[in-house]
Every structure is written in structure tokens, then in C-alpha cells.
Amino acid sequence: MVIDQNLLNELSDFYKELDKAINRIEKYHKDNMNCGKGCKDCCIDGITVFEVEAKYIKHHNPTLRNFKPVNKKGCPYLDEKNECIIYETRPYICRTQGLPLRWIDDSGNEAVEMRDICPLNEKQINVESLPQKQVWYIGPFESKLASLQFKYGKGKMKRVELKTLFKG
Ligand code: SF4
């Protein structure tokens, strides 16, 4: 598979910027978060990613071609210790897992801020009372990623199931 080097570079920069932004939020909560290495609750079956992220993961994990998952349930990239075997190149959706989240719901008459957090963390972290700077805002990074997909997908917003990346 030939992959555009510019895409690899732009996505790599995207993930660096994303991880920095996540670290800024995480530092407020790391002592109170129950999720982490070995926790697989968010690693469910059926996750989809933009095609650009799929290409990035495939490019950086060539040894996984035709690999066989060790677990029958959940994401196929969990190993026997429930750790992610593509962790360094995992997609956007996997990087914010566990954080307190906020987003704007403008489906009604007026825009409302919504919040949520993983059930494993909700007892220790009261997501509703946190200042905004301590909550991951869903929007800006999704837009950046969508624009990369638009650019390198020639206008097609194609999504790919994570589990299909190394089949065939
Ligand atoms: S890619 Fe890794 S972090 Fe993402 S759902 Fe699968 S195992 Fe979990």
C-alpha cells in the first residue's frame, strides 16, 4: 500500500498536539482515575475510525498483517493482559478515553453544554462541578481530524471498522 508521506506527517503532528492537550487535562485527574493500563471497558468491538487513521495504523504496524486476536470479545487489538498492541498509533477516539468530557448539544431551541465521564471514574470525579479547563471539550480536535480526512480522502468522509485493518 502506498501512503502519502504528507498524510503521515500531518497525522503524526495531530497526535502530538492532541496528546499534549490531553495531558493538560489528565494532570488534574490522574490520581482519581480508575481506568488505565489493563482496563478494557472502552475497548469494545465495532469501533470505526476515519480512513486516514486506518491507513496510519496499518502503515506503522506492518507486522500485524493477518494477525489473530487473542480475545474473542471486544477490540481485537487487546492482548492477553488487556493491553493495546497498537497503543502508540491508536486512533483519536482511544486517546481521550476515561477523561471527563463536555460538548455542546444544539439540537434543541438553545445550545446546552452536556457532560459525561466513564462510570469507573464518576464516583471520584464530579464532572458537573469541574471548571471548563479541566474537562475535555469534544469539537476542535474532531474538526481537525475531519479536515484531514476530507483533504486526503478526496472529499470522502469514509470510515473503516478498526477490526478490519489487518484482515486479508
Ligand atoms: S485500539 Fe487499543 S485503545 Fe483502541 S479500542 Fe482497541 S485496544 Fe482499546
Side-chain angles (χ1 to χ4, degrees), residues 14-15 47 59 78-79 85 97 116 157:
F14 170 81
Y15 290 131
I47 291 177
H59 175 81
L78 289 169
D79 68 10
I85 59 172
Q97 286 170 354
D116 199 10
M157 304 308 281

Side-chain angles (χ1 to χ4, degrees), residues 48-154:
T48 67
V49 296
F50 276 132
E51 188 181 35
V52 286
E53 290 197 287
K55 285 182 174 174
Y56 186 89
I57 295 166
K58 280 173 88 162
H59 175 81
H60 286 291
N61 298 279
T63 57
L64 293 183
R65 204 166 160 73
N66 292 325
F67 91 108
K68 299 271 179 284
V70 294
N71 293 307
K72 293 236 164 15
K73 288 185 181 161
C75 179
Y77 307 118
L78 289 169
D79 68 10
E80 55 288 327
K81 293 185 197 148
N82 289 327
E83 292 176 11
C84 175
I85 59 172
I86 59 166
Y87 189 79
E88 292 303 321
T89 56
R90 69 202 186 286
Y92 163 80
I93 191 165
C94 304
R95 295 180 189 239
T96 57
Q97 286 170 354
L99 291 178
L101 306 171
R102 68 186 182 92
W103 66 96
I104 303 299
D105 179 359
D106 54 8
S107 58
N109 290 336
E110 57 185 66
V112 183
E113 187 190 81
M114 309 292 286
R115 293 190 174 201
D116 199 10
I117 190 165
C118 169
L120 288 181
N121 298 327
E122 69 185 358
K123 282 204 182 99
Q124 315 81 262
I125 302 172
N126 183 350
V127 66
E128 297 300 338
S129 67
L130 293 173
Q132 285 191 344
K133 68 173 185 178
Q134 296 185 15
V135 185
W136 181 257
Y137 181 45
I138 299 175
F141 277 93
E142 288 77 4
S143 300
K144 268 188 209 171
L145 187 55
S147 65
L148 287 177
Q149 171 60 37
F150 190 84
K151 180 174 171 184
Y152 290 101
K154 300 196 173 89

